[in-house]
Amino acid sequence: MSAPHLSVDRERCIGAGMCAMTAPEVFDQDPDEGLVLLLHTDPPAPHDTAARMAAGVCPAGAITVHDPRDDSL
Amino acid sequence: MSASLHTVTTLPAQRRPGCPFDPPAELLDARSHGPISRYTHPGGKPGWMITGYDLVRSVLADPRFSSRKDLMNVVDFALPPAPPGEFLLMDEPDHSRYRKPLVGKFTVRRMRLLSERIEQITADCLDAMEKAGPPTDLVTAFAKPIPTIVICEILGVPYEDRASFQEQIDTFMGGEVSDEELIAAYTATQEYLARLVAAKRANPTDDILSELTDSDLTDEELKGISLILLAAGFDTTANMLSLGTYALLRNPEQLAALRADPALTDGAVEELLRYLSVAKTFHRTALEDVELGGQVIEAGTTVVLSYHTANRDPDRFADPHTLDLHRQAAGHLAFSHGIHQCLGQQLARVEMRVAFRALLDRFPTLRLAVPAEEVALRPETADIFGVKSLPVTWDRT
Ligand code: SF4
């Protein structure tokens, strides 16, 4: 499976930290505002699954997974 | 869909005897008929009850549903707007204006750094418990003091003031007092916080409230924010700790698994959050006509979101009424979803991970000191579900 390509929208982020908790290798929060920081735009295995899960649990829909397998990219 | 449209008449409904952790039977029954039911608010206004996971989650993420207190259509008179700073009951952009300055202070990283201090606080509580000897009430010895001390330190509430505070918050969140008593406790807390904010402005110390006096927030707003942080930071975690321990003691195989494997702790906390859903319900009001699960929710109608039944939705969680610490409980709605998702959730997680672990390690023979059915539960009228007291005992070594 190829790595998912990720993007984040800091305007939408509410800083709940679900991403940094779920996939700490891929996401962090900046220390001042607490908003999402994307550490890897194309996380390879083994972190890709956690990254997808983080996108799924983000309460604000601030993380997008652009899947290489997805033709709409 | 409408052929099977179900009606939920009133809340609070009683939980089934012997199943204190399960949602009331009436709500589980409603969910089995479909994710949305007609509902009459206790004030007599018609509304909807949403019990299915997907639908609850979608409403929480939908800006067509408002959190504003003054739009809530549940009683015959108009409710006042939320007081300044109480951003839980506001929509954008007001909500963000209050939440934004707080977010950086509750990050995953900052909360992890706090864990050492939380370990110390927990150890002190357990020392005192051990010294006093069995039996004890776990609520007063453990579940309340830990989150209270933590939130007071973070916010900068002086240690000496903590007891009166805890009592006031208990009074207005416990669901067991008259309206007059409730208003009196709420007012007393407000007055206390007003004095505290003034004191921090005059003499800032190293805490969140002092840091916030440096922003453009007014004293009135800071008072509202502190109230939310205090009430939310204390009551929810306290009840998760006591009710969670009770649930573990009633599920001995799960307890044994957790004792045997410290690596299970993080997952166990998520599963307890899902299984117990101590914040049971929240309200949202439709700003326009919205179609939901085949029904049209008319503009101005208030819907009740049942987090508890959503977290027990068999379409989302297999065998949902079983406490299974090994399950993948991520995605539960115990901290809500959408822009209002709990600001303090990472703090709550660290507190629970540290406190459950330390309790089990310290007392390998911990057990209930009364028959399980005799543990006194909070009434359904309480905003946050929990036990009133949890008598436990253990073998001295
Ligand atoms: S989970 Fe979503 S809202 Fe929360 S910090 Fe990450 S990106 Fe922001």
Side-chain angles (χ1 to χ4, degrees), chain B residues 9-11 39-49 66-80 89 281-286 298-305:
Chain B
T9 43
T10 43
L11 269 189
Y39 174 67
T40 308
H41 294 287
K45 291 291 190 115
W48 297 89
M49 170 71 66
S66 169
S67 297
R68 272 170 56 186
K69 184 178 174 191
D70 52 326
L71 297 181
M72 264 176 71
N73 191 2
V74 292
V75 283
D76 271 338
F77 50 91
L79 291 170
L89 301 172
T281 53
F282 274 83
H283 291 76
R284 290 289 188 272
T285 304
E298 281 179 32
T301 307
T302 297
V303 301
V304 181
L305 306 171

Side-chain angles (χ1 to χ4, degrees), chain A residues 16-37:
Chain A
M18 291 299 287
C19 54
M21 183 186 84
T22 312
E25 280 81 9
V26 185
F27 301 97
D28 199 353
Q29 290 165 280
D30 74 74
D32 297 329
E33 295 183 302
L35 301 182
V36 59
L37 291 176

Side-chain angles (χ1 to χ4, degrees), chain A residues 10-18 20-21 24 28-35 53 55-61, chain B residues 57 61 95 99-100 103-110 112 270 328 330-331 337-342 345-346 349 353:
Chain A
R10 285 173 52 94
E11 291 287 305
R12 297 187 71 137
C13 174
I14 55 152
M18 291 299 287
M21 183 186 84
D28 199 353
Q29 290 165 280
D30 74 74
D32 297 329
E33 295 183 302
L35 301 182
M53 198 188 284
V57 296
C58 170
Chain B
R57 203 170 186 268
H95 162 263
R99 181 171 171 132
K100 278 243 157 87
V103 168
K105 309 189 191 306
F106 286 92
T107 58
V108 173
R109 198 175 286 274
R110 256 176 107 147
R112 290 214 176 112
E270 296 309 310
Q328 183 51 264
H337 181 69
I339 60 165
H340 289 278
Q341 193 182 61
C342 179
Q345 58 181 294
Q346 306 304 346
R349 283 190 169 99
R353 288 168 184 168

